[in-house]
Amino acid sequence: MPIDSAEYRRVLGHFPTGVTVVTAISQHGPAGLAIGSFSSVSLDPPLVMFSPSKQSASWLSMKSAGSFCVNVMAQDQTAVCAVFAGSSEDKFSGIDWTVAATGAPVIAGSLAWIDCERYAVHDGGDHEIVVGEVKAAATVNDAEGRGPLLFYRGGYGQFRPLE
């Protein structure tokens, strides 16, 4: 019996995910998209992965780039995340950013960033599974006292450690 897609989505919504913005330099300039499906894969070699929708216009524009940067969003970056979750033509308008070693954008205020060269792309149903080899990574000094932005049951939230 097939699984109902709405119920499947509702059930998986009970698993909180960290919020990232994956960026690259496309042939039209900087591009990026909000991603919740990010994970580490391997320590040797250092690999990470994310899964963009095959229908995402942002992913299609940046897919040919050989590198990307994963920006870990902070709890006070909900508005930045909303820009990258949308379909705006110029998502970088009004967004402060610098360039990582691979040339991919690093978004100011992110808790951490992971700069990667594309290692492999695999089929994942209606998504692709993009694996990157980490070339550089860092936490940001001003991240002290700020927590990560989380997504849970259709909304944004933040992490509070147990006391």
Side-chain angles (χ1 to χ4, degrees), residues 12-109:
L12 291 182
H14 283 74
F15 181 72
T17 62
V19 179
T20 64
V21 170
V22 177
T23 59
I25 297 295
S26 76
Q27 58 186 330
H28 303 293
L33 68 161
I35 292 285
S37 57
F38 168 75
S39 181
S40 63
V41 174
S42 169
L43 291 174
D44 188 18
L47 301 175
V48 296
M49 60 77 58
F50 71 97
S51 296
S53 168
K54 289 178 179 177
Q55 302 304 313
S56 166
S58 295
W59 169 239
L60 293 173
S61 77
M62 55 194 276
K63 185 175 179 177
S64 63
S67 61
F68 60 88
C69 186
V70 179
N71 296 269
V72 178
M73 296 287 96
Q75 66 193 32
D76 58 355
Q77 290 185 297
T78 305
V80 172
C81 183
V83 168
F84 287 95
S87 58
S88 169
E89 287 282 324
D90 184 9
K91 294 182 180 181
F92 283 84
S93 178
I95 302 290
D96 290 334
W97 58 283
T98 58
V99 178
T102 64
V106 174
I107 297 172

Coordinates of all heavy atoms in Angstrom, one line a residue, residues 12-109:
L12 N 7.4 13.2 9.3 CA 8.7 13.6 9.2 C 8.9 15.0 9.8 O 10.0 15.3 10.2 CB 9.3 13.5 7.8 CG 9.5 12.1 7.3 CD1 10.0 12.1 5.9 CD2 10.3 11.2 8.2
G13 N 7.9 15.8 9.8 CA 8.0 17.1 10.4 C 8.2 17.1 11.9 O 8.6 18.1 12.5
H14 N 8.0 15.9 12.5 CA 8.3 15.8 13.9 C 9.8 15.5 14.2 O 10.2 15.4 15.4 CB 7.5 14.6 14.5 CG 6.1 15.0 14.7 ND1 5.2 15.1 13.6 CD2 5.4 15.3 15.8 CE1 4.0 15.5 14.1 NE2 4.1 15.6 15.4
F15 N 10.6 15.5 13.2 CA 12.0 15.4 13.4 C 12.6 16.8 13.1 O 12.6 17.3 12.0 CB 12.6 14.4 12.4 CG 14.1 14.2 12.5 CD1 14.7 13.5 13.6 CD2 15.0 14.8 11.6 CE1 16.0 13.4 13.8 CE2 16.4 14.6 11.8 CZ 16.9 13.9 12.8
P16 N 13.2 17.4 14.2 CA 13.7 18.8 14.0 C 15.0 18.7 13.2 O 15.8 17.8 13.3 CB 14.0 19.2 15.4 CG 14.2 18.0 16.2 CD 13.3 16.9 15.5
T17 N 15.2 19.7 12.3 CA 16.4 19.8 11.5 C 17.0 21.1 11.7 O 16.4 22.1 11.9 CB 16.1 19.6 10.0 OG1 15.2 20.6 9.6 CG2 15.4 18.2 9.7
G18 N 18.3 21.2 11.5 CA 19.0 22.4 11.5 C 18.8 23.1 10.2 O 18.5 22.4 9.2
V19 N 18.9 24.4 10.2 CA 18.7 25.2 8.9 C 20.0 25.7 8.4 O 20.8 26.3 9.1 CB 17.7 26.3 9.2 CG1 17.5 27.1 7.9 CG2 16.4 25.8 9.8
T20 N 20.2 25.4 7.1 CA 21.4 25.9 6.4 C 21.0 26.6 5.2 O 19.9 26.4 4.7 CB 22.3 24.7 6.0 OG1 21.7 23.9 5.1 CG2 22.7 23.9 7.2
V21 N 21.9 27.4 4.7 CA 21.7 28.0 3.4 C 23.0 27.6 2.6 O 24.1 27.8 3.0 CB 21.6 29.5 3.4 CG1 21.7 30.1 2.0 CG2 20.3 30.0 4.1
V22 N 22.7 26.9 1.5 CA 23.8 26.4 0.6 C 24.0 27.5 -0.5 O 23.0 27.8 -1.1 CB 23.5 25.0 0.0 CG1 24.6 24.6 -0.9 CG2 23.4 24.0 1.2
T23 N 25.2 27.9 -0.7 CA 25.5 29.0 -1.7 C 26.5 28.5 -2.7 O 27.3 27.6 -2.4 CB 26.0 30.2 -1.0 OG1 27.2 29.9 -0.3 CG2 24.9 30.8 0.0
A24 N 26.5 29.1 -3.9 CA 27.5 28.9 -4.9 C 27.5 30.1 -5.8 O 26.6 31.0 -5.8 CB 27.1 27.6 -5.7
I25 N 28.5 30.1 -6.7 CA 28.5 31.2 -7.7 C 28.1 30.5 -9.0 O 28.7 29.6 -9.5 CB 29.9 31.8 -7.9 CG1 30.3 32.5 -6.6 CG2 29.9 32.7 -9.1 CD1 29.5 33.7 -6.2
S26 N 26.9 30.9 -9.5 CA 26.4 30.4 -10.7 C 26.9 31.2 -11.9 O 27.6 32.2 -11.7 CB 24.8 30.4 -10.7 OG 24.4 31.7 -10.9
Q27 N 26.5 30.8 -13.1 CA 26.9 31.6 -14.2 C 26.3 33.0 -14.2 O 26.7 33.9 -15.0 CB 26.6 30.9 -15.5 CG 25.2 30.5 -15.7 CD 25.0 29.7 -17.0 OE1 25.7 29.8 -17.9 NE2 24.0 28.8 -16.9
H28 N 25.2 33.2 -13.4 CA 24.6 34.5 -13.3 C 24.9 35.3 -12.1 O 24.3 36.3 -11.8 CB 23.1 34.3 -13.4 CG 22.6 33.6 -14.6 ND1 22.7 34.1 -15.9 CD2 22.1 32.3 -14.7 CE1 22.2 33.2 -16.7 NE2 21.9 32.1 -16.1
G29 N 25.9 34.8 -11.3 CA 26.3 35.4 -10.0 C 26.0 34.5 -8.8 O 25.7 33.3 -9.0
P30 N 26.0 35.1 -7.6 CA 25.8 34.3 -6.4 C 24.3 33.8 -6.4 O 23.4 34.4 -6.8 CB 26.0 35.3 -5.3 CG 25.8 36.7 -5.9 CD 26.2 36.6 -7.3
A31 N 24.2 32.5 -5.9 CA 22.9 31.9 -5.8 C 22.9 31.1 -4.5 O 24.0 30.7 -4.0 CB 22.7 30.9 -7.0
G32 N 21.7 30.8 -4.0 CA 21.6 30.0 -2.8 C 20.2 29.6 -2.5 O 19.3 30.0 -3.1
L33 N 20.1 28.6 -1.6 CA 18.8 28.0 -1.2 C 18.9 27.5 0.2 O 19.9 27.1 0.7 CB 18.4 27.0 -2.2 CG 19.1 25.6 -2.2 CD1 18.2 24.6 -2.9 CD2 20.4 25.7 -3.0
A34 N 17.8 27.6 0.9 CA 17.6 27.1 2.3 C 17.5 25.6 2.2 O 16.8 25.0 1.3 CB 16.4 27.7 3.0
I35 N 18.2 24.9 3.1 CA 18.3 23.4 3.1 C 18.2 23.0 4.5 O 18.9 23.4 5.4 CB 19.6 22.9 2.4 CG1 19.6 23.2 0.9 CG2 19.8 21.4 2.7 CD1 18.8 22.3 0.1
G36 N 17.3 22.0 4.8 CA 17.2 21.4 6.1 C 17.8 20.0 6.0 O 18.2 19.4 7.1
S37 N 18.0 19.4 4.8 CA 18.5 18.1 4.7 C 20.0 18.1 4.5 O 20.6 17.8 3.4 CB 17.9 17.4 3.5 OG 18.1 18.1 2.3
F38 N 20.8 18.4 5.5 CA 22.2 18.5 5.5 C 22.8 17.6 6.6 O 22.2 17.4 7.6 CB 22.7 20.0 5.8 CG 24.1 20.1 6.1 CD1 25.1 20.0 5.1 CD2 24.6 20.2 7.4 CE1 26.4 20.1 5.3 CE2 26.0 20.3 7.7 CZ 26.9 20.2 6.6
S39 N 23.9 16.9 6.2 CA 24.5 16.0 7.2 C 26.0 15.8 6.9 O 26.4 15.9 5.7 CB 23.8 14.7 7.1 OG 24.3 13.7 8.0
S40 N 26.7 15.4 7.9 CA 28.1 15.0 7.6 C 28.0 13.5 7.1 O 27.0 12.8 7.4 CB 28.9 15.0 8.9 OG 28.4 14.2 9.9
V41 N 29.0 13.1 6.3 CA 29.0 11.8 5.7 C 30.2 11.0 6.1 O 30.1 9.9 6.5 CB 28.9 11.9 4.1 CG1 29.1 10.5 3.5 CG2 27.6 12.6 3.7
S42 N 31.4 11.6 6.1 CA 32.6 10.9 6.3 C 33.7 11.8 6.9 O 33.7 13.0 6.6 CB 33.1 10.4 4.9 OG 34.4 9.9 5.0
L43 N 34.5 11.3 7.7 CA 35.7 12.0 8.2 C 36.9 11.9 7.3 O 37.7 12.8 7.3 CB 36.0 11.5 9.7 CG 35.0 11.9 10.8 CD1 35.4 11.2 12.1 CD2 34.9 13.4 10.9
D44 N 37.0 10.8 6.7 CA 38.2 10.5 5.8 C 37.8 9.8 4.5 O 37.6 8.6 4.5 CB 39.2 9.6 6.6 CG 40.5 9.5 5.9 OD1 40.8 10.3 5.0 OD2 41.3 8.6 6.2
P45 N 37.6 10.6 3.4 CA 37.8 12.0 3.3 C 36.7 12.8 4.0 O 35.6 12.2 4.2 CB 37.9 12.3 1.8 CG 37.0 11.2 1.3 CD 37.2 10.0 2.1
P46 N 36.9 14.1 4.3 CA 35.8 14.8 4.9 C 34.7 15.2 3.9 O 35.0 15.9 3.0 CB 36.5 16.1 5.4 CG 37.7 16.2 4.5 CD 38.1 14.8 4.2
L47 N 33.5 14.5 4.1 CA 32.4 14.7 3.2 C 31.2 15.1 3.9 O 30.9 14.7 5.1 CB 32.1 13.4 2.4 CG 33.3 12.8 1.6 CD1 32.8 11.4 1.1 CD2 33.7 13.7 0.5
V48 N 30.4 16.0 3.3 CA 29.1 16.4 3.8 C 28.1 16.2 2.6 O 28.5 16.0 1.5 CB 29.0 17.8 4.3 CG1 29.9 18.0 5.5 CG2 29.4 18.8 3.1
M49 N 26.8 16.2 2.9 CA 25.8 16.1 1.9 C 24.6 17.0 2.2 O 24.3 17.4 3.3 CB 25.3 14.6 1.8 CG 24.6 14.0 3.0 SD 22.9 14.4 3.4 CE 22.0 14.0 2.0
F50 N 23.9 17.3 1.1 CA 22.6 18.0 1.2 C 21.7 17.5 0.1 O 22.2 17.0 -0.9 CB 22.7 19.6 1.2 CG 23.1 20.2 -0.1 CD1 22.2 20.7 -1.0 CD2 24.5 20.2 -0.5 CE1 22.5 21.3 -2.2 CE2 24.8 20.8 -1.7 CZ 23.9 21.3 -2.5
S51 N 20.4 17.7 0.2 CA 19.4 17.2 -0.8 C 18.5 18.2 -1.3 O 17.4 18.5 -0.7 CB 18.7 16.0 -0.2 OG 19.5 15.0 0.1
P52 N 18.8 18.9 -2.4 CA 17.9 19.9 -3.0 C 16.8 19.2 -3.9 O 17.1 18.1 -4.4 CB 18.8 20.8 -3.8 CG 19.9 19.8 -4.3 CD 20.1 18.9 -3.1
S53 N 15.7 19.8 -4.0 CA 14.7 19.4 -4.9 C 15.1 19.5 -6.3 O 15.8 20.5 -6.7 CB 13.4 20.2 -4.7 OG 12.5 19.9 -5.8
K54 N 14.8 18.5 -7.1 CA 15.2 18.6 -8.6 C 14.5 19.7 -9.3 O 14.9 20.2 -10.3 CB 14.9 17.2 -9.3 CG 15.8 16.1 -8.8 CD 15.3 14.8 -9.5 CE 16.3 13.7 -9.2 NZ 15.8 12.4 -9.8
Q55 N 13.4 20.2 -8.7 CA 12.6 21.2 -9.3 C 13.0 22.6 -8.9 O 12.4 23.6 -9.3 CB 11.1 21.0 -9.0 CG 10.6 19.7 -9.5 CD 10.8 19.5 -11.0 OE1 10.5 20.4 -11.8 NE2 11.3 18.3 -11.4
S56 N 13.9 22.7 -7.9 CA 14.3 24.0 -7.4 C 15.0 24.9 -8.4 O 16.1 24.5 -8.9 CB 15.2 23.8 -6.1 OG 15.8 25.0 -5.8
A57 N 14.5 26.0 -8.7 CA 15.1 26.9 -9.7 C 16.5 27.4 -9.2 O 17.5 27.5 -10.0 CB 14.2 28.2 -10.0
S58 N 16.6 27.6 -7.9 CA 17.9 28.0 -7.3 C 18.9 26.9 -7.5 O 20.1 27.1 -7.9 CB 17.8 28.3 -5.8 OG 16.9 29.5 -5.7
W59 N 18.5 25.6 -7.2 CA 19.4 24.5 -7.3 C 19.8 24.3 -8.8 O 21.0 24.1 -9.1 CB 18.9 23.2 -6.8 CG 19.6 22.0 -7.2 CD1 19.2 20.9 -7.9 CD2 21.0 21.8 -6.9 NE1 20.3 20.0 -8.1 CE2 21.4 20.5 -7.5 CE3 22.0 22.5 -6.3 CZ2 22.7 20.0 -7.4 CZ3 23.3 21.9 -6.2 CH2 23.6 20.7 -6.8
L60 N 18.8 24.5 -9.7 CA 19.1 24.3 -11.1 C 20.2 25.4 -11.6 O 21.0 25.1 -12.4 CB 17.9 24.4 -12.0 CG 16.9 23.2 -11.8 CD1 15.6 23.4 -12.5 CD2 17.5 21.9 -12.2
S61 N 20.1 26.6 -11.0 CA 21.0 27.6 -11.5 C 22.4 27.4 -10.9 O 23.4 27.8 -11.5 CB 20.5 29.0 -11.0 OG 20.7 29.2 -9.7
M62 N 22.5 26.8 -9.8 CA 23.8 26.6 -9.1 C 24.4 25.2 -9.3 O 25.5 24.9 -8.9 CB 23.8 27.0 -7.7 CG 22.8 26.3 -6.8 SD 22.5 27.0 -5.2 CE 23.8 26.3 -4.2
K63 N 23.6 24.3 -9.9 CA 24.0 22.9 -10.1 C 25.3 22.7 -10.9 O 26.1 21.8 -10.6 CB 22.9 22.1 -10.8 CG 23.1 20.6 -10.9 CD 21.9 19.9 -11.4 CE 22.2 18.5 -11.6 NZ 21.0 17.7 -12.0
S64 N 25.6 23.6 -11.8 CA 26.8 23.4 -12.6 C 28.1 23.9 -11.9 O 29.2 23.7 -12.4 CB 26.6 24.1 -14.0 OG 26.5 25.5 -13.8
A65 N 27.9 24.6 -10.8 CA 29.1 25.1 -10.1 C 29.8 23.9 -9.5 O 29.2 23.0 -9.0 CB 28.6 26.1 -9.0
G66 N 31.1 24.0 -9.5 CA 31.9 22.9 -9.0 C 32.1 22.9 -7.5 O 32.7 22.1 -6.9
S67 N 31.6 24.0 -6.9 CA 31.8 24.2 -5.4 C 30.6 24.8 -4.8 O 29.8 25.4 -5.5 CB 33.1 25.0 -5.2 OG 32.9 26.3 -5.7
F68 N 30.5 24.7 -3.5 CA 29.4 25.3 -2.7 C 29.8 25.5 -1.3 O 30.8 24.9 -0.8 CB 28.1 24.4 -2.8 CG 28.3 23.0 -2.3 CD1 28.1 22.8 -0.9 CD2 28.6 22.0 -3.1 CE1 28.2 21.5 -0.4 CE2 28.7 20.7 -2.6 CZ 28.5 20.4 -1.3
C69 N 29.1 26.3 -0.6 CA 29.4 26.6 0.8 C 28.1 26.4 1.6 O 27.0 26.9 1.2 CB 29.9 28.0 1.0 SG 30.4 28.3 2.7
V70 N 28.2 25.6 2.7 CA 27.0 25.4 3.6 C 27.2 26.4 4.7 O 28.2 26.4 5.4 CB 27.0 23.9 4.1 CG1 25.8 23.7 5.0 CG2 27.0 22.9 3.0
N71 N 26.2 27.2 4.9 CA 26.1 28.3 5.9 C 25.2 27.8 7.0 O 24.0 27.6 6.7 CB 25.7 29.6 5.3 CG 26.7 30.1 4.3 OD1 27.6 30.9 4.6 ND2 26.5 29.8 3.0
V72 N 25.6 27.6 8.2 CA 24.8 27.2 9.3 C 24.1 28.4 9.9 O 24.8 29.3 10.4 CB 25.6 26.4 10.4 CG1 24.7 26.0 11.5 CG2 26.3 25.2 9.8
M73 N 22.8 28.5 9.8 CA 22.0 29.6 10.2 C 21.9 29.7 11.7 O 21.7 28.7 12.4 CB 20.6 29.6 9.6 CG 20.6 29.7 8.1 SD 21.0 31.4 7.5 CE 22.7 31.2 7.1
A74 N 22.0 30.9 12.2 CA 21.8 31.2 13.7 C 20.3 31.5 14.0 O 19.6 31.9 13.1 CB 22.7 32.4 14.1
Q75 N 20.0 31.4 15.2 CA 18.6 31.6 15.6 C 18.0 33.0 15.3 O 16.8 33.2 15.2 CB 18.5 31.4 17.1 CG 19.2 32.4 18.0 CD 19.4 32.0 19.4 OE1 19.4 30.8 19.7 NE2 19.4 32.9 20.3
D76 N 18.9 34.0 15.1 CA 18.4 35.3 14.7 C 18.5 35.6 13.2 O 18.4 36.7 12.8 CB 19.3 36.4 15.5 CG 20.8 36.3 15.2 OD1 21.2 35.4 14.5 OD2 21.5 37.2 15.7
Q77 N 18.6 34.5 12.4 CA 18.7 34.7 11.0 C 17.4 34.1 10.3 O 17.5 33.8 9.1 CB 19.9 34.0 10.4 CG 21.2 34.7 10.8 CD 22.4 34.1 10.2 OE1 22.7 32.9 10.4 NE2 23.1 34.8 9.3
T78 N 16.3 34.2 10.9 CA 15.0 33.7 10.3 C 14.7 34.5 9.0 O 14.3 33.9 8.0 CB 13.9 33.8 11.3 OG1 14.2 33.1 12.5 CG2 12.6 33.2 10.7
A79 N 14.9 35.8 9.1 CA 14.6 36.6 7.9 C 15.6 36.3 6.7 O 15.1 36.2 5.6 CB 14.7 38.1 8.2
V80 N 16.8 36.0 7.0 CA 17.8 35.6 6.0 C 17.4 34.3 5.4 O 17.3 34.1 4.2 CB 19.2 35.5 6.5 CG1 20.2 34.9 5.5 CG2 19.7 36.9 7.0
C81 N 17.0 33.4 6.2 CA 16.6 32.0 5.8 C 15.3 32.2 4.9 O 15.2 31.5 3.8 CB 16.3 31.1 7.0 SG 15.9 29.5 6.4
A82 N 14.4 33.0 5.3 CA 13.2 33.2 4.5 C 13.5 33.7 3.1 O 12.8 33.3 2.1 CB 12.2 34.2 5.2
V83 N 14.5 34.5 2.9 CA 14.9 35.0 1.6 C 15.3 33.8 0.8 O 15.0 33.7 -0.4 CB 16.0 36.1 1.7 CG1 16.6 36.4 0.4 CG2 15.4 37.4 2.4
F84 N 16.2 33.0 1.3 CA 16.7 31.9 0.6 C 15.8 30.7 0.4 O 16.0 29.9 -0.5 CB 18.1 31.4 1.2 CG 19.2 32.4 0.9 CD1 19.5 33.4 1.9 CD2 19.9 32.4 -0.2 CE1 20.5 34.3 1.6 CE2 20.9 33.3 -0.5 CZ 21.2 34.2 0.4
A85 N 14.7 30.7 1.2 CA 13.7 29.7 1.0 C 12.7 30.1 -0.1 O 11.9 29.3 -0.6 CB 12.9 29.5 2.3
G86 N 12.7 31.4 -0.4 CA 11.8 31.9 -1.4 C 12.3 31.8 -2.8 O 13.3 31.2 -3.1
S87 N 11.6 32.5 -3.8 CA 12.0 32.4 -5.2 C 12.4 33.7 -5.8 O 12.3 33.9 -7.0 CB 10.8 31.8 -6.0 OG 9.7 32.6 -5.8
S88 N 13.0 34.6 -5.0 CA 13.4 35.9 -5.5 C 14.5 35.7 -6.5 O 15.4 34.8 -6.4 CB 14.0 36.7 -4.3 OG 14.6 37.8 -4.7
E89 N 14.6 36.6 -7.5 CA 15.6 36.6 -8.5 C 17.0 36.9 -7.9 O 18.0 36.3 -8.2 CB 15.3 37.6 -9.6 CG 14.2 37.2 -10.5 CD 14.6 36.2 -11.5 OE1 15.7 36.2 -12.0 OE2 13.7 35.3 -11.8
D90 N 17.1 37.9 -7.0 CA 18.3 38.3 -6.4 C 18.3 38.1 -4.9 O 18.0 39.1 -4.2 CB 18.6 39.8 -6.8 CG 20.0 40.2 -6.3 OD1 20.8 39.4 -5.8 OD2 20.3 41.4 -6.3
K91 N 18.5 36.9 -4.5 CA 18.5 36.6 -3.1 C 19.6 37.3 -2.2 O 19.5 37.4 -1.0 CB 18.5 35.1 -2.9 CG 17.3 34.4 -3.4 CD 17.4 32.9 -3.2 CE 16.2 32.2 -3.7 NZ 16.2 30.8 -3.5
F92 N 20.6 37.8 -2.9 CA 21.7 38.4 -2.2 C 21.6 39.9 -2.0 O 22.4 40.5 -1.4 CB 23.1 38.0 -2.9 CG 23.5 36.6 -2.6 CD1 23.0 35.5 -3.3 CD2 24.4 36.3 -1.5 CE1 23.4 34.2 -3.0 CE2 24.8 35.1 -1.2 CZ 24.3 34.0 -2.0
S93 N 20.5 40.5 -2.5 CA 20.3 41.9 -2.4 C 20.1 42.2 -0.9 O 19.2 41.6 -0.2 CB 19.1 42.3 -3.2 OG 18.8 43.7 -2.9
G94 N 20.9 43.0 -0.3 CA 20.8 43.3 1.1 C 21.4 42.3 2.1 O 21.3 42.5 3.3
I95 N 22.0 41.3 1.5 CA 22.7 40.2 2.4 C 24.2 40.5 2.3 O 24.8 40.5 1.3 CB 22.4 38.8 1.8 CG1 20.9 38.6 1.8 CG2 23.1 37.8 2.6 CD1 20.2 38.4 3.1
D96 N 24.8 40.6 3.5 CA 26.3 40.7 3.6 C 26.9 39.4 3.4 O 26.4 38.4 4.1 CB 26.7 41.3 4.9 CG 26.3 42.8 5.1 OD1 26.1 43.5 4.1 OD2 26.1 43.2 6.2
W97 N 27.9 39.3 2.6 CA 28.6 38.1 2.4 C 30.1 38.3 2.0 O 30.4 39.4 1.5 CB 27.9 37.2 1.4 CG 27.7 37.7 0.0 CD1 26.7 38.7 -0.3 CD2 28.4 37.4 -1.1 NE1 26.8 39.0 -1.7 CE2 27.9 38.2 -2.2 CE3 29.5 36.6 -1.4 CZ2 28.3 38.2 -3.5 CZ3 29.9 36.5 -2.7 CH2 29.4 37.3 -3.7
T98 N 30.9 37.3 2.2 CA 32.3 37.3 1.8 C 32.5 36.0 0.9 O 31.5 35.3 0.7 CB 33.2 37.3 3.0 OG1 33.0 36.1 3.8 CG2 33.1 38.5 3.8
V99 N 33.7 35.9 0.4 CA 34.0 34.7 -0.5 C 34.8 33.7 0.2 O 35.9 34.1 0.8 CB 34.6 35.3 -1.8 CG1 35.0 34.1 -2.7 CG2 33.7 36.3 -2.5
A100 N 34.4 32.4 0.1 CA 35.2 31.4 0.7 C 36.4 31.0 -0.3 O 36.4 31.5 -1.4 CB 34.4 30.1 0.9
A101 N 37.2 30.1 0.1 CA 38.4 29.8 -0.8 C 37.9 29.2 -2.1 O 38.6 29.5 -3.2 CB 39.2 28.7 -0.1
T102 N 36.8 28.5 -2.2 CA 36.4 28.0 -3.5 C 35.6 29.0 -4.3 O 35.3 28.8 -5.5 CB 35.4 26.8 -3.3 OG1 34.2 27.3 -2.6 CG2 36.0 25.7 -2.5
G103 N 35.4 30.2 -3.8 CA 34.6 31.3 -4.4 C 33.2 31.3 -4.1 O 32.5 32.2 -4.4
A104 N 32.7 30.3 -3.3 CA 31.3 30.3 -2.9 C 31.1 31.4 -1.8 O 31.9 31.7 -1.0 CB 30.9 28.9 -2.4
P105 N 29.8 31.9 -1.7 CA 29.5 32.9 -0.7 C 29.4 32.4 0.7 O 28.8 31.3 0.9 CB 28.2 33.5 -1.2 CG 28.1 33.2 -2.7 CD 28.8 31.9 -2.8
V106 N 30.0 33.1 1.6 CA 29.8 32.9 3.1 C 28.9 34.0 3.6 O 29.3 35.2 3.5 CB 31.2 32.9 3.8 CG1 31.0 32.7 5.3 CG2 32.1 31.8 3.3
I107 N 27.8 33.6 4.1 CA 26.8 34.6 4.6 C 27.2 35.1 6.0 O 27.5 34.4 6.9 CB 25.4 34.0 4.7 CG1 25.0 33.6 3.3 CG2 24.4 35.0 5.3 CD1 23.7 32.8 3.2
A108 N 27.3 36.5 6.1 CA 27.6 37.1 7.4 C 26.6 36.7 8.4 O 25.4 36.6 8.2 CB 27.7 38.6 7.2
G109 N 27.1 36.5 9.6 CA 26.3 36.1 10.8 C 26.0 34.7 10.9 O 25.4 34.3 11.9

